[in-house]
Amino acid sequence: MAARLKITQIKSKISEKQNQRDTLRSLGLKRINDIVVREDNAQNRGYVRTVAHLVKVEEID
């Protein structure tokens, strides 16, 4: 079974650049304290790296 990432939005996207807002939307995060679980792959790691200052990431099995 592949590892997964639990991604929680912890800060607001207001006053962030448009590409960062779009990245949060692509991850499925709409508001503060939203949580999504995504597969741990290169694409999702790239998304997380783009908005690392806005989210908290945990690895789960």
Side-chain angles (χ1 to χ4, degrees):
M1 184 174 188
R4 295 182 294 166
L5 300 174
K6 178 181 175 184
I7 306 167
T8 306
Q9 183 176 345
I10 57 170
K11 293 180 93 178
S12 175
K13 64 184 174 185
I14 294 174
S15 79
E16 298 299 331
K17 294 179 181 178
Q18 186 64 44
N19 70 318
Q20 293 171 353
R21 294 181 193 185
D22 294 341
T23 301
L24 286 173
R25 179 62 68 168
S26 296
L27 285 168
L29 298 168
K30 298 178 183 176
R31 59 185 63 86
I32 297 175
N33 292 327
D34 266 2
I35 298 172
V36 295
V37 177
R38 296 279 180 230
E39 190 174 330
D40 185 3
N41 58 30
Q43 179 180 6
N44 289 330
R45 288 280 180 169
Y47 285 160
V48 168
R49 194 175 311 116
T50 302
V51 292
H53 58 291
L54 302 176
V55 298
K56 178 176 74 172
V57 181
E58 302 171 40
E59 289 186 14
I60 59 174
D61 289 326

